Amino acid sequence: MKATASERCQLKGWESRLMSADEAAELIQDGMIVGMSGFTRAGEAKEVPLALARRARHDPLKISLMTGASLGNDIDRHLTEAGVLARRMPFQVDKTLRGAINRGEVMFIDQHLSETVEQLRNKQLGHIDVAIIEASAITADGGIVPTASVGNSASFAILADKVIIELNLATPAALIGLHDIYIPQMRPARQPIPVVDASTRIGVDHIPIDPAKIAAIVLTEGQDSPSTVGIPNEDTQRIARHLIGFFEHEVEVGRLPPSLMPLQAGIGTMSNAVLNGLMEGPFEDLTMYSEVLQDSTFNLLDSGKMTFASGSSITLSEECGQRIWPHLADYRDRIVLRPQEMSNHPGIVRRLGIIAINTALEADIYGNVNSTHVNATRMMNGIGGSGDFARNGHLSIFITKSTAKNGALSSFVPFVSHVDHCEHDVDILVSEHGLADLRGLAPRERADIIIEHCADPLYRPALRAYFSEACQRGGHTPHCLEKALSWHLAAEQEGSMLGLTEPSCAGHQPHPCGVRDDATA
């Protein structure tokens, strides 16, 4: 049974602020900066943005929109088609918006997810005029209880001049009390953040704001969009097995405890498959300190392999959601949702020793990783939180299938066309073919094991040939500058890198690089 408004809203006189979505959308004016809840298709405002899009079709306006991460329910598509978005940050996954970004119609600021509200708080990104926040409840003093994500909602609401609350009566009551809202002090008086374990709670269970700022309350009953993670296949299962074997070795030699270290994994089919694979491993008492609690998180909790999971949102497939949402109360003592500046905080990541597992679009033979751009120029989604974890984690792991487009493109190239994670921040690369442990290796040593362990066999001769020629020219990180991006040029002009595998292109001579004989993963 759905809750009633009087059950979920304890604020005295709240009825006087009750509005329709269309009425609330009138509070947003041309040129405003709007902060909106939502993180990885969870917890976004669902009615007011659509009302704003409807209004813009006959009353044109443009706004700068900030969120936590990606939005569900096609919100970005509707806003883009209505011409509402002038600027967007810090992350998105919508095809229509992506096209507008790459045509230069929407200015997209791709940011590390831990940084957005830090810059807002220090007045580096302008001022939030209106915050639109989805809530599962409103406290007697106007505090906002978030729904399935926290993201940047807390700081948006605190910093905004006006707040529009979408009170979603269809959200589980078990969300109330699940959140840990903590806002760092302003510098230079900031104190250490006392999170010392994945389960540490240091804040309150709601977003504390001045109730006078609540300009509108809109009642809704919408659902979050289900995640689109695919079913694990043989390739993703092989990646998982390579990682499990690596973890087993790290435990055996004493570099990891049997419970590993707290896990972080980016959202998506591959990361989800890798975490699911841990159910087959020997590890017990696992913990998670991540951004998104996805299907694999709850599978690990249900299996008894994981004891606690901290995140900033819950994003589930339709099938998993049917199992979890009606019984969310059963997990209340084993999960917590935090603001993303806490879930992704570099200091906490370093302190806890996070094992970070993220996905690459492509990697090069020296370990640089591209997570965001196709052929150097076309934005896909954004860097998200991967950089927060890669730079600061105990282990920085990037996974990818060795090829894309049915083998027409190699995911391992001489030089990535866009660098999101430089070689200094990448410890481990994994594909379905194997794992390359890059720790303690110089660039010339890295190249050999990345080619032999991670690249697809079809493309290895061409990569070896490039590396051999580059080594003959010399340098600490050898390159043939005129050929470094030739693989991407082939992809751009011919739609394929397969021509590089022809014998005339891939002839190999032993390279004079002095690579260690024992430089193996």
Side-chain angles (χ1 to χ4, degrees), residues 365-366 443-445 447-448 451 462-472 478 511-513 515:
I365 60 176
Y366 299 115
R444 294 177 183 234
E445 297 170 315
D448 248 14
I451 293 170
L463 289 169
R464 293 188 194 112
Y466 175 89
F467 183 45
S468 177
E469 182 179 352
C471 284
Q472 291 174 27
H511 60 73
C513 288
V515 177

Side-chain angles (χ1 to χ4, degrees), residues 230-238 241 269-270 273 401:
I231 299 173
N233 58 30
E234 178 57 28
D235 285 342
T236 56
Q237 289 172 339
R238 288 171 68 184
R241 288 195 293 268
T269 299
M270 279 196 286
K401 292 185 179 181

Side-chain angles (χ1 to χ4, degrees), residues 49 144 160 204 236 244 358 379 402 460 492 503 518:
I144 302 171
V204 295
T236 56
I244 290 170
N358 290 287
M379 170 61 66
S402 64
R460 287 176 191 169
E492 185 77 15
D518 63 342

Side-chain angles (χ1 to χ4, degrees), residues 62-328:
K62 287 190 177 292
I63 64 170
S64 295
L65 178 62
M66 301 180 184
T67 61
S70 56
L71 304 176
N73 287 289
D74 295 326
I75 298 296
D76 272 323
R77 175 175 68 82
H78 289 292
L79 292 173
T80 302
E81 291 175 344
V84 173
L85 299 179
R87 307 178 76 81
R88 179 75 168 84
M89 64 187 301
F91 188 81
Q92 55 77 42
V93 299
D94 183 79
K95 180 179 179 181
T96 301
L97 174 56
R98 183 184 305 135
I101 290 168
N102 288 321
R103 291 190 299 272
E105 296 167 4
V106 175
M107 296 295 103
F108 178 58
I109 297 90
D110 182 22
Q111 266 195 324
H112 298 299
L113 294 188
S114 67
E115 292 186 348
T116 305
V117 296
E118 191 74 87
Q119 292 185 353
L120 269 175
R121 190 179 294 121
N122 289 281
K123 305 185 187 306
Q124 296 172 338
L125 293 178
H127 177 75
I128 298 286
D129 295 294
V130 177
I132 313 171
I133 310 297
E134 185 180 68
S136 56
I138 304 173
T139 68
D141 58 358
I144 302 171
V145 180
T147 57
S149 72
V150 182
N152 286 325
S153 298
S155 290
F156 288 161
I158 290 168
L159 296 172
D161 292 332
K162 296 179 180 179
V163 179
I164 299 170
I165 299 177
E166 286 198 6
L167 183 58
N168 191 333
L169 303 180
T171 54
L175 285 168
I176 301 172
L178 194 66
H179 310 87
D180 185 53
I181 309 299
Y182 176 87
I183 305 297
Q185 296 95 340
M186 290 292 292
R187 301 185 187 99
R190 180 173 297 180
Q191 297 298 304
I193 299 170
V195 173
V196 296
D197 184 84
S199 62
T200 303
R201 283 179 170 269
I202 58 175
V204 295
D205 62 3
H206 61 276
I207 302 168
I209 64 169
D210 180 354
K213 294 204 304 182
I214 301 176
I217 297 174
V218 179
L219 302 182
T220 71
E221 294 183 350
Q223 301 293 322
D224 287 336
S225 297
S227 75
T228 55
V229 294
I231 299 173
N233 58 30
E234 178 57 28
D235 285 342
T236 56
Q237 289 172 339
R238 288 171 68 184
I239 290 171
R241 288 195 293 268
H242 293 317
L243 263 181
I244 290 170
F246 168 75
F247 290 147
E248 288 176 331
H249 178 70
E250 292 294 289
V251 172
E252 182 181 345
V253 299
R255 287 194 287 259
L256 283 177
S259 60
L260 305 182
M261 303 291 276
L263 299 165
Q264 176 267 335
I267 193 168
T269 299
M270 279 196 286
S271 296
N272 200 60
V274 167
L275 288 183
N276 273 324
L278 291 174
M279 288 188 291
E280 306 302 322
F283 318 109
E284 303 288 342
D285 299 322
L286 298 170
T287 59
M288 173 173 284
Y289 196 89
S290 192
E291 303 157 294
V292 187
L293 308 186
Q294 49 191 320
D295 291 16
S296 53
T297 305
F298 289 90
N299 293 339
L300 285 165
L301 289 168
D302 290 344
S303 73
K305 290 280 190 176
M306 182 171 285
T307 60
F308 198 90
S310 168
S312 191
S313 74
I314 300 173
T315 304
L316 305 176
S317 68
E318 185 171 1
E319 180 182 359
C320 186
Q322 291 173 354
R323 185 179 95 240
I324 299 302
W325 290 120
H327 305 285
L328 185 63

